Amino acid sequence: GAGVSQSPSNKVTEKGKDVELRCDPISGHTALYWYRQSLGQGLEFLIYFQGNSAPDKSGLPSDRFSAERTGGSVSTLTIQRTQQEDSAVYLCASSLRQGVYYEQYFGPGTRLTVT
Amino acid sequence: AQTVTQSQPEMSVQEAETVTLSCTYDTSENNYYLFWYKQPPSRQMILVIRQEAYKQQNATENRFSVNFQKAAKSFSLKISDSQLGDTAMYFCAFMKHVSGANSKLTFGKGITLSVRP
């Protein structure tokens, strides 16, 4: 079946502009995660959605970052007033319970370059 | 909070040889999972192998096996009969077990593995 998809694949933006990154999880997956992969920080957790529960936003680096998940499916990560340090690959993952374990399936990521 | 450490930034191995990638972690949790993910140049993160902390037996998936030492908080990955397609970045990751819910992954910095023909 279809995996996690992300769009765009690559995004170049000017410093100060806002960007939106999209994630389409695997159909039926109740949990959705955003991670950021950067040269300096490695792979770090940003935010996590689980069903109708309040999202875990503990990994968002600043208030310029926000995310929403509409209808329990598609998610959008928004970065306002982008800075050069926001340049990174943004990975989305979704998961479905399998017994007591939840495997996360990753999308191909969006490479964001802020010039 | 959990930390995952991969101290080797790069490794190289000859095709058909065996290579071991190291990982250590720190946690106060008793119930958790450990993973090795592979990330080829396509950026797609692929789960290689998973280990449940409550299991003493080391996980094995075909050419991939782990050496899980819970007391030492060590979790190394052994790749046997290395193939050119194994060339990728490998990440060690930790996930706390949360009953009835999902949990985030905490990753190490990763190691770049090159398989030489």
Side-chain angles (χ1 to χ4, degrees):
Chain A
V4 177
S5 61
Q6 293 185 246
S7 60
S9 179
N10 293 281
K11 175 74 176 178
V12 180
T13 190
E14 293 180 353
K15 178 181 173 181
K17 300 280 190 183
D18 298 352
V19 295
E20 287 188 349
L21 312 180
R22 177 186 169 106
C23 172
D24 282 271
I26 294 172
S27 178
H29 279 197
T30 56
L32 186 147
Y33 308 77
W34 284 97
Y35 296 88
R36 179 171 71 173
Q37 185 175 13
S38 56
L39 281 176
Q41 302 298 322
L43 249 165
E44 53 182 345
F45 164 79
L46 296 178
I47 188 169
Y48 151 55
F49 297 88
Q50 169 64 62
N52 295 322
S53 302
D56 176 356
K57 304 180 182 180
S58 61
L60 294 179
S62 78
D63 58 9
R64 295 186 296 104
F65 287 72
S66 63
E68 62 177 20
R69 188 178 185 192
T70 54
S73 180
V74 172
S75 177
T76 302
L77 177 69
T78 301
I79 308 173
Q80 296 178 312
R81 304 180 304 281
T82 51
Q83 303 294 312
Q84 287 186 330
E85 61 262 28
D86 298 335
S87 295
V89 174
Y90 290 82
L91 294 169
C92 175
S94 68
S95 71
L96 178 68
R97 181 174 182 166
Q98 296 175 325
V100 297
Y101 163 66
Y102 304 84
E103 179 168 344
Q104 295 185 26
Y105 295 83
F106 283 81
T110 293
R111 181 178 296 280
L112 175 66
T113 304
V114 182
T115 61
Chain B
Q2 288 71 230
T3 59
V4 178
T5 302
Q6 294 178 254
S7 56
Q8 308 155 302
E10 296 181 12
M11 286 193 76
S12 179
V13 64
Q14 192 74 33
E15 192 176 9
E17 296 292 308
T18 295
V19 64
T20 298
L21 311 183
S22 301
C23 173
T24 58
Y25 61 96
D26 191 23
T27 184
S28 58
E29 302 289 335
N30 190 51
N31 200 359
Y32 52 87
Y33 303 94
L34 294 164
F35 307 86
W36 279 97
Y37 279 90
K38 170 184 177 182
Q39 188 181 42
S42 66
R43 296 200 306 248
Q44 185 80 49
M45 294 283 279
I46 301 164
L47 178 64
V48 175
I49 198 164
R50 177 184 85 243
Q51 175 78 43
E52 291 88 342
Y54 65 86
K55 289 186 177 179
Q56 290 187 334
Q57 186 173 8
N58 289 323
T60 299
E61 288 287 342
N62 301 313
R63 298 184 294 108
F64 300 88
S65 61
V66 298
N67 183 2
F68 174 47
Q69 301 290 328
K70 190 173 183 179
K73 295 186 177 140
S74 170
F75 183 62
S76 61
L77 174 70
K78 185 172 82 171
I79 306 174
S80 304
D81 185 25
S82 297
Q83 300 176 0
L84 297 178
D86 295 333
T87 293
M89 196 153 187
Y90 287 81
F91 291 92
C92 179
F94 172 101
M95 183 169 76
K96 179 173 70 173
H97 174 73
V98 178
S99 180
N102 292 273
S103 183
K104 67 183 182 186
L105 288 162
T106 300
F107 290 91
K109 296 284 189 186
I111 178 172
T112 300
L113 176 67
S114 300
V115 180
R116 307 185 303 272

